[in-house]
Amino acid sequence: MKIAYTMAQGRGDTDQILHQLSQRLRAEGHSPCGVVQVNSERTDSCRCDMDVQVLPQGPVIRISQSLGENARGCRLDPAALEEAVALTERALQVGAEMLIINKFGKHEAEGRGFRAAIGEALALEIPVLVGLNQLNQEAFFEFIGDLGVALAPNVDDLAEWAKAQLAPKPGSGKPGLTPAGASRPVAMSAA
C-alpha cells in the first residue's frame, strides 16, 4: 500500500502544489483521479470561492456556499463535496492510476468525505497522495497508521514520488494499473 501526504505552510499553498502536480502528470500522459482545489478570489469579500476540479477531466464543482458577509460558520457545501466524492469513487472503479485528494479535512476526520475512496484506492493498490493540514493531522495518522510517507510540499518532489508509483508493474503491461477486480483488505481504524 502506498500513501503519501504533503503539507505546505501558506494558506492555499497545498492546493496550488497539488493542482500543478495534476497538470504535470496529465501533460505527461497519466490519468490521476481525485480532486484538486482551485480557489477563485472574490471582489466582494475577503474570502475566496472554493472549487474542486474532479480529475482527470471531470467538472469543476463549487464546494463553498455563500453564508453572507459576516458569517462565521463553515462554508463547505456538503452536498457538493459528496458529488465530487461520488465522481471520484466511480473513476476508481474504472481503473485509475493514482488518487490525489486535495485535503484530508474535517469530513474525512469524521469518517465521511473522501475517506472511503482513500481506503478503496489502497485496497486496490492504487497509490494515494493527500494534502494535509495541522488541524486534521492527528485523525489522518489514526486512519492510516504508519503507512504514510511525508513528502516535501513542492511539485518536483511530489512528481518524483508519483512517477515512481506509476512505473510499470512487473507483468501488468500497464503503468501503475491494478488488474480489474484485484483488491486486498486494508486494515485501518474507523476512528
Side-chain angles (χ1 to χ4, degrees):
M1 288 183 258
K2 298 172 184 163
I3 182 167
Y5 60 93
T6 192
M7 183 172 17
Q9 296 302 313
R11 182 175 180 250
D13 288 350
T14 302
D15 297 331
Q16 291 177 10
I17 292 166
L18 291 176
H19 182 253
Q20 291 170 10
L21 172 67
S22 70
Q23 289 179 317
R24 182 183 292 186
L25 291 174
R26 289 181 57 214
E28 294 174 359
H30 296 289
S31 187
C33 76
V35 294
V36 290
Q37 193 163 326
V38 287
N39 295 335
S40 306
E41 295 301 322
R42 296 176 53 150
T43 58
D44 64 338
S45 172
C46 63
R47 295 185 148 184
C48 61
D49 285 324
M50 298 182 299
D51 300 323
V52 291
Q53 167 72 55
V54 179
L55 300 173
Q57 298 174 10
V60 173
I61 300 172
R62 172 124 326 136
I63 61 169
S64 61
Q65 51 190 334
S66 178
L67 300 176
E69 187 68 30
N70 297 318
R72 297 275 184 231
C74 178
R75 298 182 313 128
L76 181 67
D77 180 344
L81 178 66
E82 290 307 318
E83 179 183 352
V85 169
L87 291 169
T88 297
E89 289 174 343
R90 275 187 238 139
L92 279 173
Q93 292 303 314
V94 174
E97 290 181 277
M98 174 179 221
L99 176 65
I100 299 174
I101 300 297
N102 68 306
K103 179 170 66 174
F104 188 91
K106 181 180 178 184
H107 280 250
E108 288 75 22
E110 294 174 348
R112 301 184 315 255
F114 289 98
R115 190 173 177 132
I118 293 168
E120 182 174 348
L122 292 173
L124 294 170
E125 296 185 7
I126 296 170
V128 177
L129 177 60
V130 177
L132 186 58
N133 62 27
Q134 290 186 354
L135 184 63
N136 299 300
Q137 188 173 348
E138 185 177 326
F140 178 72
F141 293 127
E142 286 176 9
F143 176 56
I144 66 160
D146 62 356
L147 297 176
V149 174
L151 298 175
N154 68 66
V155 178
D156 291 334
D157 286 351
L158 298 179
E160 183 178 325
W161 181 85
K163 289 174 188 174
Q165 308 316 306
L166 296 171
K169 294 181 179 182
S172 73
K174 293 186 178 182
L177 294 177
T178 303
S183 67
R184 294 190 174 88
V186 178
M188 289 182 267
S189 68

